[in-house]
Amino acid sequence: MLAAKKILLGVCGGIAVYKAVELVSRLRREGAAVKVIMTGSALKFVSQLTFREISGNPVAASMWADIPVYNVEHIALAEWADALVIAPATANVLAKLASGIADDMLTTTALAVKAPIILCPAMNTNMYENPVTQSNLEKLAARGLKIIQPASGRLACGTYGAGRLPEPIDIVQEIDDYLRGGSMSGLKVVVTAGGTIEPVDPVRYIGNRSSGKMGYAIAGEAVRRGAGTVLVSGPSSLPVPPGVTAIKVETAVEMKDAVLAEYGDADILIKAAAVADYRVKDICAAKIKKKEETLTLELVKNPDILKELGRLKTKQYLVGFAAETDNLVENARVKIKEKNLDMIVANDVSMPGAGFNHDTNIVKFIYPSGEIVSMEKASKQEIAAKLLDQISAAISSRPERDSQGC
Ligand code: CTP
């Protein structure tokens, strides 16, 4: 993937700059052309000469330097790049990028770049974990920038924790994976999101706490990877990600009809919605008045949409979610079997930072084989990306696809 790609590498000032030198070398060994922009702080750690020699190209560091051939250099670099990678990305540069500040060659170029931007944050653990840095990273991820998670371990400042720049070999792998962004083109992905609501009378309904954040993040990621993406969503105030076809529904029965209509030619179906298990048997045509001291509503079971999809499954890769408060893995495994799933994303909604309405979640990807891939607490965007990586890997290793030469 990297052969003949033009990678613009932004290098910020941090002790991990030395690893960026190796990163350039590895990218070039993969066949990429590399140009480097250094910030003023990066120049305090390593000279421009080092990156010029290792990249084989002049290094840009100042907006005001004399240049041999006249062009508007930050625009020319932005247009040249197939991807902008910033490694190490300091807290300061992340904050500037999150708020659109353009006060040096790197941040100015970053604003002008249309190609994908990949950030490799590296800094002291406390700086990384500081809510302002986390919120900047979330903002940038929500805008579609790819964040490569820092590694954990002993940092140059003597502390232990997250904040190390990952090894260059791993960064190259992640860049390569990400630039395969079109890897889902030609596939149809259907995602359900949000909670269904079940009417009681013209003004009331039974609902749940689902915000739709997980499903919307998955739909956004699928479309970024080139998939034709349909989002069947219960009521949600979230904006529909650009490029996604949204079908809005309210009740479980409406969701079932919408999903079944999209299922036949779907390649992947991801059921992140929190479907109401029951609906009111007799919906009152008029508003219920508060005459009695108690009120009893009779509920009837809703169709289990996912189970029905499992029954009808032909070629589709079918993924469910399991929201549990206890016996996470056992309950999730029962659902895989009962609903004929290819994978279930299990999350313990009682854990802090997990489940409904949070920006983060803690999930395990569980397969029918019993294999479990666990993720640490991560943003829903990161989980969406990892989920689609897992699905893509599973689909490409399917024997029937190999035999069709796919
Ligand atoms: N699901 C569905 N239709 C339903 C209920 C659930 O399609 N009527 C799907 C959800 O979208 C999710 C998966 O089934 O992908 C598991 O949902 P969950 O609420 O965890 O479990 P349930 O099957 O509803 O079982 P229980 O509530 O007893 O745990």
Side-chain angles (χ1 to χ4, degrees):
M1 185 70 198
L2 287 170
K5 284 276 176 218
K6 290 174 279 183
I7 306 291
L8 185 58
L9 179 70
V11 181
C12 309
I15 189 62
V17 165
Y18 75 96
K19 285 188 182 168
V21 178
E22 189 190 334
L23 178 60
V24 175
S25 160
R26 285 192 174 273
L27 286 167
R28 289 194 71 196
R29 265 186 270 161
E30 295 294 322
V34 183
K35 289 188 181 179
V36 177
I37 301 178
M38 297 176 75
T39 63
S41 321
L43 287 169
K44 306 266 184 215
F45 288 86
V46 177
S47 87
Q48 219 162 318
L49 187 66
T50 309
F51 280 106
R52 191 184 75 193
E53 294 307 302
I54 201 87
S55 69
N57 276 310
V59 171
S62 165
M63 297 284 289
W64 319 115
D66 275 342
I67 45 174
V69 181
Y70 176 74
N71 58 23
V72 183
E73 201 182 9
H74 62 283
I75 304 295
L77 285 170
E79 284 173 356
W80 175 84
D82 291 322
L84 168 63
V85 178
I86 305 184
T90 54
N92 181 45
V93 163
L94 294 176
K96 286 190 201 176
L97 295 178
S99 31
I101 294 173
D103 64 353
D104 63 7
M105 185 57 118
L106 177 57
T107 49
T108 310
T109 307
L111 267 191
V113 159
K114 286 272 191 197
I117 301 181
I118 301 171
L119 303 172
C120 305
M123 65 200 76
N124 161 272
T125 306
N126 291 344
M127 291 172 76
Y128 175 67
E129 288 176 350
N130 191 304
V132 76
T133 305
Q134 289 301 313
S135 134
N136 287 334
L137 284 167
E138 273 162 29
K139 266 193 218 161
L140 292 163
R143 274 186 223 146
L145 280 71
K146 162 79 179 164
I147 316 287
I148 296 182
Q149 293 307 302
S152 292
R154 187 175 185 282
L155 302 176
C157 51
T159 55
Y160 284 84
R164 281 169 63 89
L165 188 69
E167 292 311 313
I169 191 169
D170 297 327
I171 298 178
V172 170
Q173 183 62 55
E174 292 226 31
I175 297 172
D176 187 85
D177 289 348
Y178 188 67
L179 294 183
R180 288 172 199 278
S183 56
M184 297 189 91
S185 69
L187 296 178
K188 175 175 172 181
V189 177
V190 180
V191 184
T192 72
T196 64
I197 59 172
E198 307 298 334
V200 173
D201 67 14
V203 295
R204 303 182 180 93
Y205 61 82
I206 300 172
N208 61 61
R209 294 180 194 278
S210 172
S211 61
K213 285 177 183 167
M214 190 68 248
Y216 278 62
I218 297 168
E221 186 65 27
V223 90
R224 263 197 291 284
R225 294 180 185 216
T229 308
V230 178
L231 176 67
V232 180
S233 171
S236 168
S237 55
L238 297 173
V240 174
V244 170
T245 304
I247 303 172
K248 298 277 186 155
V249 297
E250 292 202 331
T251 66
V253 170
E254 286 171 14
M255 182 170 277
K256 179 181 168 212
D257 293 343
V259 170
L260 284 179
E262 296 294 332
Y263 192 48
D265 61 348
D267 298 286
I268 298 165
L269 195 134
I270 304 169
K271 199 124 196 335
V275 184
D277 288 328
Y278 293 88
R279 66 179 181 277
V280 177
K281 186 171 176 222
D282 298 309
I283 302 167
C284 270
K287 185 184 170 203
I288 301 171
K289 302 302 277 179
K290 55 172 187 302
K291 283 188 236 137
E292 314 297 338
E293 279 309 305
T294 60
L295 174 69
T296 304
L297 292 173
E298 192 178 352
L299 303 180
V300 291
K301 218 173 191 175
N302 264 329
D304 188 321
I305 307 169
L306 193 53
K307 200 168 180 178
E308 179 68 0
L309 297 174
R311 198 179 62 75
L312 298 172
K313 185 164 81 171
T314 52
K315 60 166 187 166
Q316 297 87 350
Y317 193 88
L318 191 55
V319 179
F321 271 69
E324 306 290 344
T325 51
D326 46 16
N327 297 330
L328 179 68
V329 173
E330 298 88 283
N331 287 338
R333 283 201 171 121
V334 170
K335 287 176 188 171
I336 293 187
K337 212 161 172 208
E338 279 183 358
K339 305 191 189 208
N340 190 22
L341 306 180
D342 296 291
M343 184 214 283
I344 198 154
V345 185
N347 67 309
D348 181 340
V349 286
S350 63
M351 300 266 280
F356 293 159
N357 228 336
H358 287 283
D359 290 326
T360 54
N361 207 353
I362 306 167
V363 304
K364 292 181 193 303
F365 304 110
I366 306 180
Y367 292 89
S369 63
E371 188 196 346
I372 299 180
V373 176
S374 299
M375 270 186 93
E376 303 275 298
K377 183 160 98 177
S379 71
K380 290 187 172 172
Q381 271 81 18
E382 287 162 343
I383 293 172
K386 179 78 177 169
L387 171 62
L388 295 189
D389 287 348
Q390 294 286 128
I391 296 173
S392 297
I395 284 182
S396 61
S397 64
R398 270 180 164 183
E400 65 268 31
R401 290 182 67 85
D402 290 345
S403 65
Q404 288 162 7
C406 298

